[in-house]
Amino acid sequence: MKKFQRIVVLMMISILSMPVLLGHANASNVDYLYDNAGRLVQMNDTQLLYDNNGNMTKKSGVMSYTASKAFSKIQGKSNWYYQEWDGKNYKDVAWSNDQGLWKGSNRWLMLTATYQHPDGSDAVRKWIAPRSGTVTITGKVAKLDGQIHGDGVRVSIMKNNSPIWPSSGWKFIEYNDTKGVNVSVTTEVKEGDALYFIVNQNKTFDYDGTYWDPTITYLPLSYRASNDFSSIQSMNNWYFQEWDGQKYADITWNTALNHWQGNSQWLRIGTDFQHPDGSDSVRKWIAPRSGAIEITGKVAKSDGQTLGDGVRVKVMRNNGQIWPSSGWQVIEHDDTKGVQVSVTAKVAKGDALYFIVNQNKTIDYDGTYWDPKINYISLSQKASEGYSIVQGKNNWSYQEWDGKQYKNIAWDSFLNQWKGSNKWLRVTKNSQHPDESDSVRKWIAPRGGKIDISGKVAKLKGEIQGDGVRVKIMKNSNQIWPATDWQVIEHDDTQGVNVSVTTEVAKGDALYFIVNQNKTIDYDGTYWDPTISYVPLTYKASAGFAKIQGEGNWQYQEWDGINYKNMTWNDDWRMWKGSQEWLSVSGDSQHPAANDSVRKWTSSKSGSISITGKVSKAEGQILGDGVRVKIMKNNSQIWPATGWKVIAHDDTKGLNVSLTTEVEKGDAIYFIVNQNETIDYDLTYWDPMIHFVPHISVK
């Protein structure tokens, strides 16, 4: 049994004639978990690993919570709780010292380290997320040996009030099913979210003892080739392959050399290097979940490998190249300084990234240093989640404003909060208190783009005296909320006001969240936990349709097989008309003639785009011989992979387009409709949507 200790530092401040900031005096709780040997194995969100000799070998940010390992007679220990559900409310159950388990209000409702038994009410094991992130939930759920009578049980997992497994209803476990089912669920959680593992008795509670020892694991936010290197394919999401120009093939682990070796003698992949030989040397990574990622790391010739004719390198995402924008990046034979890769992209779960080293002309001295790092990055930042004892970390800083200048304040390790030059000027995880100077939380934009600012600002409970406070948000030296002057928060207003602001920022712009004392500083503790979210730019053809070429990034053209040519706006028809009678583009449709009908979108920035939308024959246009469609990026086809997609003459259901690609500023996307053989009844519905995420730079 592992021993667990929770250390809570409590402080009491007693100061006459001054209000106390409620909650500000408590240091944050720190969780420590020890193994049977007395070794510290977990401290908050860090796990410590040891070798057979008891020496610490690695600190891991991969957090895992297994019900049985953390089982305790204390509610909330290691984030686990033991409850029952009566159909309306969750209620904590009580610990039985005699039986060494948790007992509910009915006789047979109980929970142990590895099983749950309902009785009237459901038996519930609850886990509270200690931080935000992506978690996987695994573990078998089955009837216990010796409990194979009765009418079976029903089980489910809830996240707060929503089912996540199964997606609705219950999963039924037969009365004699001791093999059970294996749960494997991935979900996003925010700090404080609750996961409920629920066992329901079905009809009767006879023999309803159910084995369930769930494990909850935070997926890593960061992957690095050297840290994750292994002799096992797929370990830590990495694979080791070669590319012969037609297909990728796994290579073999060489125990004697302690690295991976391909079919050719010198094709190798080690901890932080790759060497091609005939075929390209390929390190592959599979995305465990969807999201935005940043790829970084130097690629250079290895020391001692500075002869030969150099190498060529690139990064592929599935079948599309994402770095460099085209062709290869050449690493000269003696370039040990190399080039820095910095790419931001969106990935879907299961997408593959390929880090490829090509021999150039010869294989001589082609050992290449490449230790790529992949970080999942968030498009949303909340003050409390980014809170730190370090100025500038996670783009947040903590300051005061004296009416002339902003000045960084100091971290007070005793109070466990930021403290200004005046006694009561404070900034905490989710609150601010001014004194003579204003209390300021500052955020620096890591990239340009459109952002939403949200979050409630209100007086703290227990701070409802005094004369209230005044608040506002500045972007650099310009006020953006409220429109003018200050937003007043009355002294007893604990419900407050909800901020909702949308603005454009450039990389490096500063947002200041300012709390002013009003007249006096008494009881001015103010709750403010702002969230800043980058808004992916959305371009929908019909929404951006206009009679001006280029407006909203859209243009309307025809293609004669050699050149694209702009169409002409027709006021009578309220659409764009081409050089031939039926050739046109409207808000959500296109009609070809001898020339193709083309809707063009031009990217105004570098970034990642996803293209979605249905393409089908328009209603009432179901005769003729159908049409052919495709999408081009500049001069390269991106959908379908080759040829055309045929839309049959009567296909009004059509095809759903879904693809992602990287774009540079000025890249053009062409949505092309071809007449097939004749132009009869060729009106085609196509209202594509483009979601755009600019390239990101983070601290």
Side-chain angles (χ1 to χ4, degrees):
M1 190 74 175
K2 294 186 178 179
K3 296 182 291 184
F4 179 92
Q5 179 181 2
R6 183 182 293 275
I7 296 176
V8 183
V9 180
L10 297 176
M11 297 176 290
M12 182 175 292
I13 302 174
S14 178
I15 300 177
L16 296 177
S17 74
M18 290 298 294
V20 176
L21 292 179
L22 296 183
H24 289 190
N26 292 339
S28 59
N29 295 338
V30 182
D31 289 346
Y32 299 95
L33 189 65
Y34 297 86
D35 65 11
N36 291 329
R39 297 177 302 197
L40 179 64
V41 293
Q42 182 173 316
M43 181 176 64
N44 275 359
D45 60 355
T46 300
Q47 287 186 335
L48 310 178
L49 306 179
Y50 297 85
D51 62 20
N52 293 332
N53 296 320
N55 299 311
M56 186 188 302
T57 59
K58 190 175 183 181
K59 292 183 179 180
S60 172
V62 180
M63 294 303 302
S64 191
Y65 298 82
T66 300
S68 61
K69 292 180 180 179
F71 187 70
S72 168
K73 64 181 182 180
I74 300 172
Q75 289 278 11
K77 191 174 181 181
S78 295
N79 300 81
W80 291 100
Y81 296 79
Y82 311 91
Q83 299 184 322
E84 58 184 300
W85 165 256
D86 63 6
K88 295 181 180 179
N89 299 298
Y90 293 102
K91 177 184 174 184
D92 286 352
V93 295
W95 176 256
S96 169
N97 274 322
D98 293 338
Q99 295 178 274
L101 50 76
W102 292 91
K103 293 211 64 176
S105 53
N106 297 325
R107 180 178 181 183
W108 293 104
L109 198 150
M110 57 187 70
L111 297 96
T112 74
T114 58
Y115 78 81
Q116 299 170 227
H117 195 298
D119 181 358
S121 295
D122 300 339
V124 180
R125 197 184 305 268
K126 180 174 86 170
W127 177 82
I128 298 293
R131 63 179 173 85
S132 299
T134 303
V135 298
T136 59
I137 305 165
T138 55
K140 183 180 79 169
V141 54
K143 286 301 298 299
L144 282 173
D145 292 331
Q147 292 278 300
I148 57 173
H149 300 284
D151 63 346
V153 295
R154 302 187 302 172
V155 297
S156 70
I157 304 174
M158 300 285 290
K159 182 172 73 175
N160 301 324
N161 296 317
S162 301
I164 58 173
W165 181 85
S167 57
S168 62
W170 297 90
K171 182 69 175 176
F172 183 65
I173 307 295
E174 294 285 353
Y175 73 95
N176 61 351
D177 185 5
T178 57
K179 290 186 177 179
V181 295
N182 287 306
V183 179
S184 181
V185 181
T186 300
T187 188
E188 297 287 332
V189 293
K190 293 189 179 299
E191 181 180 347
D193 277 353
L195 297 182
Y196 299 92
F197 300 86
I198 304 173
V199 179
N200 172 275
Q201 68 180 28
N202 198 11
K203 297 176 182 176
T204 71
F205 62 85
D206 300 327
Y207 299 94
D208 277 352
T210 304
Y211 174 88
W212 203 354
D213 186 16
T215 294
I216 301 164
T217 303
Y218 278 93
L219 291 177
L221 296 175
S222 180
Y223 297 81
R224 186 165 188 165
S226 59
N227 291 343
D228 302 334
F229 188 70
S230 169
S231 61
I232 301 171
Q233 291 278 11
S234 82
M235 183 66 73
N236 302 314
N237 297 75
W238 293 98
Y239 296 76
F240 309 91
Q241 299 184 324
E242 58 184 302
W243 165 258
D244 64 6
Q246 295 183 324
K247 65 181 184 300
Y248 295 100
D250 287 352
I251 57 178
T252 305
W253 176 255
N254 187 317
T255 303
L257 296 174
N258 203 38
H259 58 233
W260 293 87
Q261 182 169 344
N263 287 326
S264 303
Q265 181 180 1
W266 294 105
L267 199 149
R268 311 281 175 88
I269 303 176
T271 305
D272 58 7
F273 76 88
Q274 297 175 230
H275 195 297
D277 184 355
S279 294
D280 298 340
S281 174
V282 181
R283 196 187 303 263
K284 180 173 89 169
W285 177 83
I286 298 293
R289 63 187 184 278
S290 300
I293 61 168
E294 183 183 46
I295 306 165
T296 57
K298 182 181 78 169
V299 55
K301 287 300 299 297
S302 297
D303 292 331
Q305 292 279 299
T306 58
L307 301 177
D309 63 346
V311 295
R312 303 187 301 170
V313 298
K314 65 180 172 182
V315 183
M316 300 285 289
R317 181 185 56 198
N318 302 326
N319 296 318
Q321 184 167 326
I322 60 174
W323 181 86
S325 57
S326 62
W328 295 89
Q329 174 68 50
V330 175
I331 308 295
E332 297 293 344
H333 69 93
D334 58 351
D335 185 4
T336 56
K337 291 186 177 179
V339 296
Q340 296 288 339
V341 179
S342 181
V343 182
T344 302
K346 289 181 70 177
V347 291
K349 182 179 179 181
D351 277 355
L353 297 183
Y354 300 92
F355 300 86
I356 304 175
V357 179
N358 172 274
Q359 69 181 29
N360 200 3
K361 297 176 182 177
T362 71
I363 65 167
D364 301 327
Y365 300 93
D366 278 351
T368 304
Y369 173 88
W370 203 355
D371 185 16
K373 185 176 182 181
I374 300 166
N375 286 317
Y376 275 91
I377 53 179
S378 176
L379 298 178
S380 181
Q381 299 188 6
K382 191 172 185 177
S384 59
E385 294 173 2
Y387 189 69
S388 171
I389 66 174
V390 179
Q391 288 280 9
K393 188 172 182 181
N394 302 316
N395 303 304
W396 293 100
S397 299
Y398 312 93
Q399 300 185 323
E400 59 184 300
W401 166 256
D402 62 6
K404 295 181 180 179
Q405 61 182 353
Y406 295 102
K407 177 184 175 184
N408 282 353
I409 57 180
W411 176 255
D412 189 312
S413 56
F414 180 73
L415 295 174
N416 201 40
Q417 57 191 228
W418 291 90
K419 185 176 179 182
S421 54
N422 303 121
K423 185 173 185 178
W424 292 102
L425 199 150
R426 311 284 172 82
V427 182
T428 78
K429 191 174 187 179
N430 57 16
S431 69
Q432 297 175 229
H433 194 298
D435 201 324
E436 293 180 15
S437 294
D438 298 339
S439 173
V440 180
R441 194 187 306 267
K442 174 184 171 184
W443 178 82
I444 297 293
R447 64 176 176 89
K450 187 178 182 181
I451 61 170
D452 284 335
I453 306 167
S454 59
K456 183 181 78 170
V457 55
K459 287 298 299 300
L460 285 172
K461 293 178 181 179
E463 292 279 293
I464 57 173
Q465 300 184 49
D467 64 345
V469 295
R470 302 187 303 170
V471 297
K472 65 180 172 182
I473 304 173
M474 301 288 290
K475 182 174 74 174
N476 301 325
S477 57
N478 299 312
Q479 184 167 326
I480 59 174
W481 181 86
T484 59
D485 204 19
W486 295 87
Q487 173 68 49
V488 175
I489 308 295
E490 298 293 344
H491 69 93
D492 58 351
D493 185 3
T494 58
Q495 292 190 348
V497 296
N498 287 305
V499 179
S500 181
V501 182
T502 300
T503 188
E504 292 280 343
V505 292
K507 181 179 178 180
D509 277 353
L511 296 183
Y512 300 92
F513 299 86
I514 304 174
V515 179
N516 173 274
Q517 68 178 21
N518 200 3
K519 297 176 182 176
T520 72
I521 65 167
D522 299 329
Y523 300 94
D524 277 352
T526 304
Y527 173 88
W528 203 355
D529 188 12
T531 295
I532 299 167
S533 301
Y534 277 92
V535 182
L537 300 178
T538 300
Y539 301 84
K540 188 175 176 68
S542 58
F545 189 68
K547 63 180 182 179
I548 300 172
Q549 289 280 6
E551 186 167 312
N553 296 64
W554 293 101
Q555 289 176 274
Y556 312 92
Q557 300 184 325
E558 58 185 292
W559 167 256
D560 61 8
I562 301 175
N563 297 302
Y564 293 103
K565 178 184 175 184
N566 282 353
M567 292 182 177
T568 303
W569 176 256
N570 187 303
D571 259 328
D572 294 332
W573 290 89
R574 306 296 297 168
M575 66 172 60
W576 291 90
K577 299 277 289 179
S579 59
Q580 295 150 3
E581 184 177 3
W582 293 102
L583 201 154
S584 61
V585 180
S586 69
D588 61 5
S589 66
Q590 298 174 231
H591 196 299
N595 290 346
D596 298 340
S597 173
V598 180
R599 193 187 306 267
K600 174 184 172 184
W601 177 85
T602 302
S603 179
S604 56
K605 300 177 182 178
S606 298
S608 175
I609 64 170
S610 61
I611 303 170
T612 58
K614 184 181 80 168
V615 54
S616 66
K617 286 299 300 299
E619 301 284 349
Q621 292 279 303
I622 58 173
L623 301 177
D625 64 345
V627 294
R628 303 188 301 171
V629 296
K630 66 180 173 182
I631 304 174
M632 302 286 291
K633 181 172 76 174
N634 301 326
N635 296 318
S636 301
Q637 185 166 325
I638 57 174
W639 181 86
T642 59
W644 297 86
K645 278 287 186 183
V646 175
I647 309 295
H649 69 93
D650 58 350
D651 185 4
T652 56
K653 291 186 177 179
L655 299 168
N656 286 308
V657 179
S658 180
L659 70 146
T660 60
T661 187
E662 296 295 310
V663 290
E664 299 294 329
K665 181 178 180 180
D667 278 354
I669 305 294
Y670 300 92
F671 301 87
I672 303 175
V673 179
N674 173 275
Q675 68 176 15
N676 202 0
E677 295 179 1
T678 71
I679 66 168
D680 301 326
Y681 300 93
D682 275 354
L683 185 63
T684 303
Y685 172 86
W686 202 355
D687 188 12
M689 173 88 79
I690 297 174
H691 294 277
F692 178 87
V693 178
H695 282 154
I696 304 165
S697 171
V698 296
K699 292 187 178 181

